[in-house]
Amino acid sequence: MQVDIIAEAEELDNSGKRFFIDRWERDVSNLNSGYGITAVLEGGGLLEKAAVSISVVSGTLTPARARAMCERGRPGVDIQGGQPYAATALSLVFHPAHPKVPTLRADVRRFEVGGSAWFGGGCDLTPAYLNEADARAFHAFWRRLCDRHRPAPSLYEECKAACDAYFYLPARREHRGIGGVFFDDMAAGAPGGGGAVVAEAFACDVAAGVLPSWRGIAAARRQDAFGPAEREWQLLRRGRYVEFNLLIDRGVRFGLDGGRVESIMVSAPPLVAWRYMAEPKIGSAEAALLAVLREPRTWA
Amino acid sequence: MQVDIIAEAEELDNSGKRFFIDRWERDVSNLNSGYGITAVLEGGGLLEKAAVSISVVSGTLTPARARAMCERGRPGVDIQGGQPYAATALSLVFHPAHPKVPTLRADVRRFEVGGSAWFGGGCDLTPAYLNEADARAFHAFWRRLCDRHRPAPSLYEECKAACDAYFYLPARREHRGIGGVFFDDMAAGAPGGGGAVVAEAFACDVAAGVLPSWRGIAAARRQDAFGPAEREWQLLRRGRYVEFNLLIDRGVRFGLDGGRVESIMVSAPPLVAWRYMAEPKIGSAEAALLAVLREPRTWA
C-alpha cells in the first residue's frame, strides 16, 4: 500500500520529483528492534512536502507507556511495563504548496501486547481556507466508507467525534482542522463500539480511502488563485500544526521518547511562520476558517 | 528596565521600526489575576522578530504546578496545590534576520508562595553558526558578572552548567545553543548554593547584562557575508528552537496551561523550516556548530 500511495502521489504531484526512499533499522541497544521505510518528497509541484512511511517495531513496554495504555482502558496490559509488544504503522502527511489545497494526514496502525491486538488510525483534513463543499465531500466520503463497516450505531459518527476530540489544541481553543475520522483501541476481530466491526478490514479500508478522499479536492483547489497574503496565512496555520504535534500528539510525544526522531519529525511542515496576534479581520475568509475550528460542524 | 531595553533594541535594529506595545489584563475567571506588557518588533533590520515582555500575575497554585515545585525541592509548597502565589517576570527573545547573528534569549523572574520567594532567570545564545571568539566573549562577560556576586565557589560555573543541562533536547541529543547562564529556585536573601548571593541583586544584574553581553557580537556578525544556504540553515536551526520550546521548556508548557498564549508563543521564531535528514557535510561550518551542541565546551 505504501508503494501504491507513493506512485499515485508522484503522479498527482506532477513535477517529475520522486520520493526519496529511506530504509532504516532501529537501534537494538534498548531491547527494541525493527525497521521502517520513510519515503519523503520535498519541493514538489502540488506537494511542498509529503511523507509516506511504514514502521515495524517490537520491544518492551516502558512503564510510562504501559500506564498510559492502562489509563485508556486496554485490557491485558501490565501497568508496571516490561511486556513485549509489536507495533506496525503506515502513516502519511501531505503539506501542499498551494494555500487553498488542504493538508492531509492519515495513519493506520496495529499494536499487540499481552496476547491482544488493537487497530487504530484515521484520516483528516487541515485546510488554511475553508471550502464548505470540500468539507462536505470529504466527510460524505468517510461516512460512506464507515457505513460499509457499521451503519448503525454509526461508526462514522463515532470516528468523526473522536477525530474532533483528538485534534484539539487547548491553548488556542482550536481544533487542528476540519476533522475526518479517527479511531483507536479497536480490538482485533472483536465488536468495535456497539456493533460488529472487523478492525483489520476497517483499518485496511481506511488506508485505501486516504487518497480517494482527497485527490478530487486537491485537483479543484489547486486551480484557485492566491497571493502572498494567502501564502502567509498558510504558513501561520502550519504553526498551529506544529504546536499540536509537539504539545499534544500522542504518537509524536511517545515517538520522540526513544524513537527515530527524523521519521517522526518528517511530519513537520516544510516552512512555518509565527506572528504576534495574527487575528484575521471580521468577515474574512481567514475568520471563517477559525469559526469552524473553534466550533466543529456536522458535514455529512 | 523593559523600557530601556526596548529603546536600545530599536536603536540597534536601526530600521526605523518601533516595538508594538501591547498591554493586557489577565482573565480573572479562574481566580487568577494580573497584567502584562508584551512588546514586539517584527520585520526589523537587525531583528526579524524581537519580544521584550513583562508579566505580573497572581493566583492559586494548581496541583500539577505544586507537585512540580515540590519535586524540585522547594520548601513551603503544599503538594496538593491551592496556595496563593505571585509571579513577576521580564523576558526577552531576539531572532535576528542575519544567519550569522546569534539568537538571544533571557529572562528574570520572581516567584512567591507560602511566605517564601525565589528568583530565577538567565541569558543564553543560540547561534546558527559557531564563532568561537564570540562564544568566549559572551561567556567571559557572564563570568565577570557572576564573579561580582560569588567568585568562589564559582556562581558562573554553577549557572553555566545549569544552562547546558536545561537547554537540552533529548530527542535530538543536542543542546539548544552554546549556553550562557541559568539559575532557578534561588531563595531571596538567602545563600545561593554554597556562598552568599543576594538573589534579587543578582537577578537585576543579569537583566542589566543581557544587551551588553550580545550587542558587540551582533554588531560584528551582521557585517559577515551570507547567502541562501546560510539562510536555510538558520531556518532549520530555528526548528530546533521551536522543538525545544514546545517539547521541553517548563515556562512554555506551564504557561500554555491557562496562560496568555500569544504572550508565550511570541517567543517563536518568525519563519522556520523543517527538512528531512538535513545533516550537514563533514567538516562544514554547520557541522562545527552541531559538534559543540552535542558536547558543550568550556568557554571562559
Side-chain angles (χ1 to χ4, degrees):
Chain A
M1 192 162 284
Q2 183 190 29
V3 168
D4 291 346
I5 291 175
I6 287 171
E8 184 174 347
E10 286 175 348
E11 202 179 303
L12 293 171
D13 184 65
N14 198 28
S15 69
K17 280 248 176 185
R18 299 274 159 210
F19 276 79
F20 167 63
I21 310 291
D22 198 11
R23 292 161 199 271
W24 52 268
E25 279 191 43
R26 186 159 157 178
D27 177 6
V28 295
S29 60
N30 53 356
L31 298 181
N32 296 319
S33 65
Y35 68 96
I37 306 174
T38 300
V40 191
L41 187 153
E42 292 173 296
L46 175 63
L47 302 168
E48 191 174 339
K49 185 175 178 187
V52 184
S53 307
I54 61 159
S55 62
V56 181
V57 299
S58 58
T60 305
L61 271 194
T62 61
R65 200 158 179 182
R67 191 166 49 244
M69 293 173 72
C70 287
E71 280 167 6
R72 296 219 310 284
R74 280 188 179 169
V77 176
D78 179 353
I79 198 166
Q80 306 289 326
Q83 285 169 295
Y85 74 87
T88 60
L90 166 68
S91 58
L92 172 150
V93 62
F94 286 0
H95 292 290
H98 194 303
K100 301 292 179 78
V101 180
T103 293
L104 178 69
R105 191 215 67 88
D107 76 318
V108 288
R109 54 191 184 272
R110 181 182 185 279
F111 199 93
E112 188 179 318
V113 67
S116 305
W118 300 271
F119 285 86
C123 180
D124 63 277
L125 221 52
T126 306
Y129 286 91
L130 176 65
N131 181 299
E132 300 203 2
D134 290 347
R136 282 192 297 270
F138 184 77
H139 278 272
F141 176 96
W142 288 106
R143 180 184 274 283
R144 283 193 303 275
L145 188 146
C146 291
D147 280 356
R148 292 206 296 269
H149 293 269
R150 201 188 69 204
S154 171
L155 180 60
Y156 163 75
E157 283 169 23
E158 191 179 303
C159 291
K160 195 270 189 195
C163 194
D164 287 338
Y166 183 73
F167 292 101
Y168 181 68
L169 186 56
R172 298 287 190 180
R173 298 178 197 188
E174 284 175 17
H175 295 263
R176 192 178 70 177
I178 59 157
V181 289
F182 183 82
F183 65 107
D184 204 356
D185 303 319
M186 189 183 270
V197 175
V198 179
E200 184 168 5
F202 180 57
C204 289
D205 231 17
V206 167
V210 174
L211 287 195
S213 74
W214 177 82
R215 62 187 166 210
I217 293 169
R221 293 288 74 74
R222 71 192 296 193
Q223 309 299 329
D224 291 352
F226 76 95
E230 284 82 9
R231 173 66 174 168
E232 204 214 344
W233 177 249
Q234 178 193 39
L235 300 189
L236 292 168
R237 294 311 308 169
R238 287 177 175 175
R240 299 290 209 276
Y241 198 93
V242 171
E243 290 176 19
F244 177 85
N245 280 14
L246 295 178
L247 289 169
I248 308 290
D249 192 77
R250 281 201 295 266
V252 170
R253 294 189 63 85
F254 271 125
L256 290 180
D257 185 19
R260 184 173 182 269
V261 60
E262 286 289 344
S263 293
I264 294 154
M265 289 307 300
V266 74
S267 66
L271 196 66
V272 182
W274 276 272
R275 190 156 55 78
Y276 183 66
M277 296 293 281
E279 276 287 317
K281 288 199 183 72
I282 293 168
S284 65
E286 292 80 8
L289 175 77
L290 283 193
V292 72
L293 298 183
R294 284 175 183 159
E295 198 148 346
R297 275 191 241 165
T298 299
W299 293 108
Chain B
M1 192 163 280
Q2 183 190 28
V3 169
D4 291 347
I5 291 174
I6 287 171
E8 184 175 346
E10 287 175 347
E11 203 179 302
L12 293 171
D13 185 64
N14 198 27
S15 70
K17 280 248 178 186
R18 299 273 159 211
F19 276 79
F20 168 62
I21 310 293
D22 198 10
R23 291 160 199 272
W24 52 269
E25 280 192 39
R26 186 157 157 179
D27 179 4
V28 295
S29 60
N30 53 357
L31 298 181
N32 296 319
S33 65
Y35 69 96
I37 305 174
T38 300
V40 192
L41 186 152
E42 293 174 297
L46 175 63
L47 302 169
E48 191 174 339
K49 186 174 177 188
V52 184
S53 307
I54 61 159
S55 63
V56 181
V57 300
S58 58
T60 304
L61 272 192
T62 62
R65 202 159 177 183
R67 192 165 47 247
M69 291 172 72
C70 287
E71 280 167 6
R72 296 218 312 283
R74 278 189 180 169
V77 177
D78 180 354
I79 198 164
Q80 307 289 323
Q83 286 168 294
Y85 74 88
T88 59
L90 165 69
S91 57
L92 173 151
V93 61
F94 286 0
H95 292 289
H98 194 303
K100 301 291 179 78
V101 180
T103 292
L104 177 69
R105 191 215 67 88
D107 75 319
V108 288
R109 52 190 186 274
R110 181 183 185 278
F111 200 91
E112 187 178 320
V113 67
S116 305
W118 300 270
F119 286 86
C123 180
D124 63 276
L125 221 52
T126 306
Y129 287 92
L130 177 65
N131 180 299
E132 300 203 4
D134 290 348
R136 281 193 297 270
F138 184 77
H139 279 271
F141 177 95
W142 288 106
R143 181 184 272 282
R144 282 194 304 275
L145 188 146
C146 291
D147 279 356
R148 292 205 296 271
H149 293 268
R150 200 188 70 203
S154 172
L155 179 60
Y156 163 76
E157 283 170 22
E158 191 180 302
C159 291
K160 195 272 187 192
C163 193
D164 287 339
Y166 183 74
F167 292 101
Y168 180 68
L169 187 56
R172 298 287 190 180
R173 298 177 198 189
E174 285 175 17
H175 295 263
R176 191 178 71 177
I178 59 157
V181 289
F182 184 81
F183 65 107
D184 205 355
D185 302 320
M186 190 182 271
V197 175
V198 178
E200 183 168 5
F202 180 57
C204 289
D205 230 17
V206 167
V210 173
L211 288 196
S213 74
W214 177 82
R215 62 188 165 208
I217 294 168
R221 294 288 75 73
R222 71 191 297 192
Q223 308 298 330
D224 291 353
F226 75 95
E230 284 81 11
R231 173 67 173 168
E232 204 214 345
W233 176 249
Q234 178 193 38
L235 300 188
L236 292 168
R237 294 310 308 169
R238 286 177 176 174
R240 299 290 209 277
Y241 198 93
V242 170
E243 290 176 19
F244 177 84
N245 280 14
L246 294 177
L247 289 169
I248 307 289
D249 192 77
R250 281 201 296 267
V252 170
R253 295 190 63 84
F254 271 124
L256 290 179
D257 185 18
R260 185 173 180 268
V261 60
E262 286 288 345
S263 294
I264 294 154
M265 290 306 300
V266 74
S267 66
L271 196 67
V272 182
W274 276 273
R275 190 156 54 78
Y276 183 67
M277 296 293 280
E279 275 288 316
K281 288 199 183 75
I282 293 168
S284 65
E286 291 79 9
L289 176 77
L290 284 192
V292 71
L293 298 183
R294 283 174 185 161
E295 198 147 347
R297 273 192 241 164
T298 299
W299 293 108

